[in-house]
Amino acid sequence: MSPELFQRMAQSIVDGDSDLSVALANEAVAAGIDPIEAISSGFVVGVNQVGEAFSCGDAFLPELVMAGEAMKAAVQALEPEMEKRGSERQMLGKVVLATVEGDIHEIGKSLVGTMLSASGFQVYDLGVDVATAKIIGKVKEVNANIVAMSALLTTTMVKQREVIEALEKAGMRPAVKVMVGGAPVTRDWVQKIGADGYSEDAIGAVNVAKQLMASSH
Ligand code: B1M
């Protein structure tokens, strides 16, 4: 659509320039570009570049932090447009959403939350670094249909299993579907921990959540 704009978006994240990333997000909205496309063809390209440089030792924590901030600011600027485009009226189900304990990566989780609420789900976003007991408590409190957990670290993925085990222990597992996601999550992992659904991205997460609701009726 607009390769030059997408390249500038990616570069704004690489440079950790939040003012520019927000300005470019607003430019995309004004130009009628789908915000999801702006994220996946523009901003994510930049954040992945920084992530790769970080894992090779070519970038350091401050760059990772700045890129994360610029990415978060851009996604927040696009949120109203995502909600506007997706707004469906009926309530499809209740989702308790969290990034698991020990993990503070929030951008992908929040994107999934925005897409789910724009698609008609009632989303209870507990934030990041959320303890298992807090997730279980919220599921009970709101009588949730789905627990959605994000994990970005190989060291924190295990908490997704811990939540499933806690649901089983509390006798709540039959009544609640579990979906998981995040960069290190694979289909094999999903099977291993006995989750019900998984998606690689935020749009896929909406489809999975809809399927899970259909299968629970
Ligand atoms: Co960190 N980090 N980070 N980080 N970080 C990664 C994940 C890493 C892969 C970078 C690398 O080394 N290449 C690496 C993990 C290695 C591993 O475990 N395999 C890593 C590391 C090591 C760390 C620290 C340990 C660094 C350190 O301190 N030495 C530290 C950990 C802190 C902690 O959590 N305890 C750390 C910290 C940070 C920042 C705070 C600086 C920052 C986050 C800022 C923030 O969130 N506010 C940060 C960032 C920005 C990244 C990268 C570069 C980008 C993550 C991101 O936001 N991506 C990341 C490398 C990468 O992934 N390329 C990296 C964009 C986002 C839209 O994508 O989150 O994947 P993502 O979400 C996608 C899908 O995964 C999916 O949909 C989303 C939208 O498409 N999805 C779901 C996500 N959740 C889902 C849930 C679902 C369904 C789909 O259903 C429930």
Side-chain angles (χ1 to χ4, degrees):
M1 269 252 276
S2 179
E4 195 254 328
L5 179 60
F6 291 150
Q7 267 171 23
R8 285 164 59 213
M9 286 170 169
Q11 194 58 43
S12 71
I13 304 300
V14 173
D15 295 341
D17 188 340
S18 298
D19 290 342
L20 184 58
S21 68
V22 169
L24 293 170
N26 292 334
E27 197 178 318
V29 172
I33 293 171
D34 184 339
I36 291 294
E37 201 186 346
I39 291 169
S40 57
S41 305
F43 298 117
V44 161
V45 176
V47 89
N48 283 343
Q49 229 169 292
V50 177
E52 273 157 37
F54 178 76
S55 53
C56 303
D58 292 335
F60 300 96
L61 197 55
E63 280 118 304
L64 199 64
V65 173
M66 300 274 287
E69 290 299 316
M71 178 79 200
K72 189 175 147 189
V75 171
Q76 274 172 355
L78 291 168
E79 260 165 24
E81 181 65 15
M82 279 189 265
E83 273 162 21
K84 208 164 100 192
R85 288 187 180 225
S87 55
E88 283 176 23
R89 285 226 156 156
Q90 87 260 45
M91 216 281 274
L92 296 179
K94 292 181 197 166
V95 180
V96 169
L97 173 69
T99 298
V100 295
E101 188 170 16
D103 198 325
I104 60 166
H105 293 89
E106 68 172 331
I107 299 164
K109 179 270 303 163
S110 298
L111 199 52
V112 168
T114 302
M115 292 304 294
L116 285 172
S117 54
S119 306
F121 285 90
Q122 189 167 346
V123 178
Y124 300 87
D125 187 343
L126 302 182
V128 298
D129 187 16
V130 184
T132 296
K134 192 171 173 190
I135 296 176
I136 303 295
K138 195 71 186 176
V139 171
K140 238 186 227 165
E141 180 197 322
V142 303
N143 203 8
N145 306 100
I146 297 175
V147 179
M149 289 179 279
S150 184
L152 265 283
L153 300 170
T154 42
T155 49
T156 56
M157 285 162 73
V158 288
K159 292 287 172 181
Q160 295 178 331
R161 172 159 52 197
E162 187 180 284
V163 170
I164 294 176
E165 285 169 357
L167 285 170
E168 274 160 7
K169 226 175 182 176
M172 294 155 71
R173 185 69 181 96
V176 60
K177 299 286 182 188
V178 177
M179 61 187 279
V180 291
V185 173
T186 60
R187 264 181 216 293
D188 270 2
W189 175 248
V190 172
Q191 277 188 349
K192 205 165 167 183
I193 65 173
D196 302 301
Y198 144 82
S199 153
E200 277 180 12
D201 56 38
I203 296 191
V206 172
N207 294 331
V208 170
K210 284 181 175 170
Q211 281 161 17
L212 292 180
M213 287 309 297
S215 69
S216 64
H217 291 313

